[in-house]
Amino acid sequence: MNVNNYAPLDIGKAYALSYGYAIPCDDDITSLDNDEVFVFGSNLAGKHEAGAAKLAHDSFGAQYGYGKGMTGKSYAIPTKDKDLRVLFLKEIRPYVEEFIEYAKLHSDIHFLVTKVGCGLAGYTVRDIAPMFAKARCVQNIHLPLDFVQCLIGL
């Protein structure tokens, strides 16, 4: 694990660990170790042209035309449709659940989750973080500290 990709030790991190969450990841992921994957918000058209999706494409192997799942060292969670319209929260939730199940099946990989849906899709941490509640005790899913703090009520 690249220690630079994880939030510094502080009270928020300590609470995250005590509540059964993996070490939260940092908001500024710029490189990955061999056992790490970058998880980002995407559109179903796979047009990775802005925000975390652009970083996923430019740095971590996300392929154009693939708007969900694994490509390269990236995992796309759709937050927009193929016409780049923002998906409703109820439409995003199944993609998050699919990701969590995928991560459980690939316990040898550390999944570094960005603030999916909180950038170009325009949702808040309070909107999106609850979708990741089932990531509790999945030690290879590293949520953003803001998501963990929301989930544990800080």
Side-chain angles (χ1 to χ4, degrees):
M1 288 185 350
N2 182 347
V3 295
N4 294 324
N5 286 334
Y6 302 90
L9 182 58
D10 61 12
I11 193 68
K13 178 180 169 185
Y15 272 116
L17 296 173
S18 70
Y19 278 85
Y21 289 94
I23 299 168
C25 62
D26 191 40
D27 285 339
D28 187 28
I29 299 166
T30 57
S31 64
L32 297 172
D33 276 355
N34 290 336
D35 64 346
E36 295 175 331
V37 166
F38 184 79
V39 182
F40 66 101
S42 176
N43 58 72
L44 286 168
K47 296 179 180 177
H48 308 309
E49 297 172 351
K54 182 170 176 36
L55 178 61
H57 175 265
D58 292 350
S59 300
F60 306 126
Q63 295 178 18
Y64 282 118
Y66 293 88
K68 68 175 191 155
M70 280 288 295
T71 60
K73 291 182 59 65
S74 298
Y75 189 101
I77 296 177
T79 58
K80 293 185 176 187
D81 68 15
K82 63 179 176 55
D83 296 316
L84 308 185
R85 291 185 298 254
V86 175
L87 295 173
F88 292 108
L89 292 171
K90 68 180 181 181
E91 296 172 304
I92 298 170
R93 180 176 299 280
Y95 294 116
V96 172
E97 292 171 353
E98 184 178 317
F99 158 68
I100 293 170
E101 291 306 311
Y102 183 89
K104 287 178 183 177
L105 294 172
H106 296 86
S107 59
D108 57 321
I109 300 171
H110 292 271
F111 293 89
L112 310 184
V113 181
T114 63
K115 291 183 193 174
V116 172
C118 298
L120 299 172
Y123 287 112
T124 67
V125 168
R126 291 178 66 107
D127 294 326
I128 300 292
M131 295 183 198
F132 286 90
K134 291 180 181 174
R136 184 174 182 207
C137 297
V138 182
Q139 293 301 305
N140 62 325
I141 297 177
H142 303 272
L143 299 175
L145 185 58
D146 288 351
F147 277 25
V148 175
Q149 289 175 328
C150 178
L151 288 167
I152 63 177
L154 291 183

